[in-house]
Amino acid sequence: MTHPHRAPSPRARPGGHVRAGARVRRVVSLVPSLTEAVAATAPGLLAGATDWCTHPPDLDVVRVGGTKNPDVAAVAALAPDLVVANEEENRPADLDALRHAGLDVLVTEVRSLPQAFAELDRLLTRGCGLARPAWLDAAEAAWRDVTPAAPARAAVVPVWRRPWTVLGRDTFAGDVLARLGVRNLHAGHPERYPRIPLPELLAARPDIVVLPDEPYRFTADDGPEAFPGIPAALVGGRHLTWYGPSLVEAPGVLARALAAVG
């Protein structure tokens, strides 16, 4: 997801041209979750990834800067057949610079769970020319079996503090939580990641507050104290906001974390 303490990038055009019939041998990924997706499917393809690409833990590729400030020259020097990006994570100006360097860029758009599955399939099978991986089938099956907890609980979902920033409309993480029985109180906000003062968040009277550990690293000692008397669910950002192999275990891991504050 985008780092919400920065202004969200203008929406990039999803898609990206890939040379027809070209064999993809080298991929540079500018999105941590997509890095993991490629690595889990065909690790030999990855030639480079961002500094924020932490999975798999033993990933050993050239690092090309951050998601918001990739080193275009370093990416070009790796001579990738394909650069993998996301319209929320990466800035249009950087993607245009990569295209101007003669590189093929595949841009994904992921704002819901079904869209995540479709884009992962597009990336891996059409973009990289790979067979559809078993882990993607397993992830879809895991989420088909999910039954939302009842009754639904209204939640505030901060993703940053100083200033407080929360999930708003049309977000992948919001869709994931809805499927688990958590109703985002700010899902109708006109902004996707609105900055809302803490008194307003408290005045919304949430049943729970959901605190992921990325992009801001909320912990038991940093976050829950701001919401006195409101149960706080600390969840892993990789399970809440990443679209990749983590989706296989995400419904179970998140459901347990949410149930623990029931």
Side-chain angles (χ1 to χ4, degrees), residues 6-20:
R6 304 183 183 183
S9 303
R11 185 170 176 178
R13 181 183 178 184
H17 172 71
V18 181
R19 290 184 299 273

Side-chain angles (χ1 to χ4, degrees), residues 113 117 135-147 180 245-252:
L113 190 63
F117 291 138
W135 65 258
L136 186 51
D137 291 331
E140 290 203 54
W143 281 97
R144 276 197 301 270
D145 294 338
V146 168
T147 300
L180 295 167
S246 58
L247 287 172
V248 176
E249 60 183 16

Side-chain angles (χ1 to χ4, degrees), residues 87-110:
E87 54 92 27
E88 180 178 289
E89 293 277 2
N90 309 118
R91 301 184 305 173
D94 294 322
L95 303 183
D96 286 343
L98 291 166
R99 294 186 184 100
H100 290 155
L103 301 176
D104 284 323
V105 181
L106 187 152
V107 185
T108 58
E109 179 184 274
V110 178

Side-chain angles (χ1 to χ4, degrees), residues 152-194:
R153 290 184 288 176
V156 166
V157 190
V159 290
W160 200 259
R161 68 182 301 178
R162 305 183 191 96
W164 286 98
T165 306
V166 300
L167 291 185
R169 65 168 182 85
D170 194 24
T171 66
F172 171 74
D175 185 53
V176 164
L177 288 171
R179 293 169 188 276
L180 295 167
V182 174
R183 179 172 60 87
N184 176 15
L185 284 170
H186 297 94
H189 196 282
E191 297 179 25
R192 297 185 67 217
Y193 299 100

